[in-house]
Amino acid sequence: MAPLDQNMADVLERTAPLYERVRRMIPPIEWPGFAEDIDAILTLKRERRAVILAHNYQTPEIFNCVADVVGDSLTLARKAMEVEAEVIVLAGVHFMAETAKLLNPSRTVLIPDLRAGCSLAESITAADVRLMRARYPGVPVVTYVNTSAAVKAESDICCTSGNARKVVESLGVPRVIMLPDEYLAQNVQRETGVEIIAWAGHCEVHERFTPEDVRTLRAENPGVVVLAHPECPPAVVAEADFAGSTAAMSDYVTAQRPARVVLLTECSMSDNVALQNPATSFVRPCNLCPHMKRITLGNIRTALAEMRHEVVIDPAVAGPARRAVERMLEVR
Ligand code: 13P
Ligand code: SF4
């Protein structure tokens, strides 16, 4: 065998157990293209003393084959705080990498592509938050983690979709400002009865779902269980059987074992939950998050090889932003 062929044969042998995790999603002919990067990433992780935190929206080969920790944004934040390794690679979007850096500032945090943003984070600036405060004096500001560190720094407390209700209730006030996701704010207002002053930010993935989509899905797939992310418009959440964070949706499928399910959220999430729940059949309307999809095995490998792109937060912003995130983590 030529040396190159022998190398590839060795890579395929080493990665064979990992292929078993994703064989239902990745055809055998495509696997060698992934296997080489996966093998290199596993070696680089050991050399760099690095861990990879991956969001539930990452593609199956990242989520299942190279990640050390997977979860929703709340889980990734909690786990980032506990990381003892020297380097954290965040396979997700920029605000998640910033949150990891805020919570574990002595670690080097890398984001494989700086363009991995978020339409919600883009929708608001720190100056906007100051204007909201000036307009509603004394009303506490709850900021979704899907924001920049500068916006978090202007906030009293952060929340994720996994704890928004508890965070709002923990404040014990009749009125809060909740930024920047208008639909999450409206969904939380309905759940808590607390009056919520919202901002007109939207997730470009979830705002596309409509109540008509839900009705069509039900008509075409009798008995299908509909799960929605709370970034969806309230009229969509109202028609769903359950709404929750990405982790809550995944847990719902594992616990309830529906015969047929549709997840009204980002596309790759269904792939990952389907791999863990082979008895459930998934209906798949596919809305991709272009920002999440910026992260690939190739740029994770480069991130580790070249130690880029390091997340750095202005110290003037980091202190108050950290306090808002830590205050959120104290809410149980
Ligand atoms: P989760 O916190 O539910 O994982 O959501 C993050 C996100 O970006 C959803 O679009
Ligand atoms: Fe942002 Fe929406 Fe993408 Fe989540 S799915 S990262 S909220 S744009």
Side-chain angles (χ1 to χ4, degrees), residues 137-199:
V139 181
V141 176
V142 180
T143 294
Y144 199 27
V145 284
N146 297 38
T147 47
S148 65
V151 164
K152 290 182 176 77
E154 298 291 337
S155 316
D156 294 299
I157 187 166
C158 288
C159 74
T160 75
S161 64
N163 62 14
R165 183 182 55 78
K166 280 191 187 162
V167 166
V168 166
E169 285 172 348
S170 77
L171 298 173
V173 292
R175 195 152 86 128
V176 303
I177 298 169
M178 191 172 175
L179 311 168
D181 188 340
E182 184 177 26
Y183 296 147
L184 178 70
Q186 291 168 347
N187 286 321
V188 172
Q189 174 166 284
R190 200 164 70 167
E191 267 185 286
T192 58
V194 173
E195 183 194 341
I196 301 205
I197 300 157
W199 186 254

Side-chain angles (χ1 to χ4, degrees), residues 52-223:
I52 297 177
L53 272 50
H55 186 259
N56 289 328
Y57 293 163
Q58 292 295 295
T59 47
E61 68 281 2
I62 295 175
F63 188 90
N64 293 282
C65 302
V66 299
D68 299 282
V69 173
V70 293
D72 64 356
S73 20
L74 183 58
T75 306
L76 297 184
R78 285 197 196 286
K79 295 288 181 182
M81 213 163 48
E82 295 164 10
V83 167
E84 287 179 4
E86 283 161 26
V87 178
I88 298 172
V89 178
L90 205 304
V93 290
H94 195 261
F95 76 79
M96 295 176 179
E98 272 194 340
T99 305
K101 182 69 183 177
L102 287 173
L103 291 169
N104 206 338
S106 62
R107 305 297 179 251
T108 300
V109 177
L110 305 176
I111 177 97
D113 188 325
L114 281 170
R115 295 169 302 171
C118 169
S119 64
L120 284 166
E122 286 302 310
S123 73
I124 191 160
T125 65
D128 294 329
V129 186
R130 287 193 290 272
L131 281 174
M132 289 297 272
R133 268 200 198 281
R135 192 162 166 197
Y136 300 99
V139 181
V141 176
V142 180
T143 294
Y144 199 27
V145 284
N146 297 38
T147 47
S148 65
V151 164
K152 290 182 176 77
E154 298 291 337
S155 316
D156 294 299
I157 187 166
C158 288
C159 74
T160 75
S161 64
N163 62 14
R165 183 182 55 78
K166 280 191 187 162
V167 166
V168 166
E169 285 172 348
S170 77
L171 298 173
V173 292
R175 195 152 86 128
V176 303
I177 298 169
M178 191 172 175
L179 311 168
D181 188 340
E182 184 177 26
Y183 296 147
L184 178 70
Q186 291 168 347
N187 286 321
V188 172
Q189 174 166 284
R190 200 164 70 167
E191 267 185 286
T192 58
V194 173
E195 183 194 341
I196 301 205
I197 300 157
W199 186 254
H202 299 135
C203 161
E204 67 189 82
V205 175
H206 293 93
E207 71 175 349
R208 301 215 299 267
F209 292 109
T210 67
E212 290 71 36
D213 290 341
V214 181
R215 279 172 231 141
T216 308
L217 282 162
R218 288 198 196 277
E220 290 175 356
N221 305 279

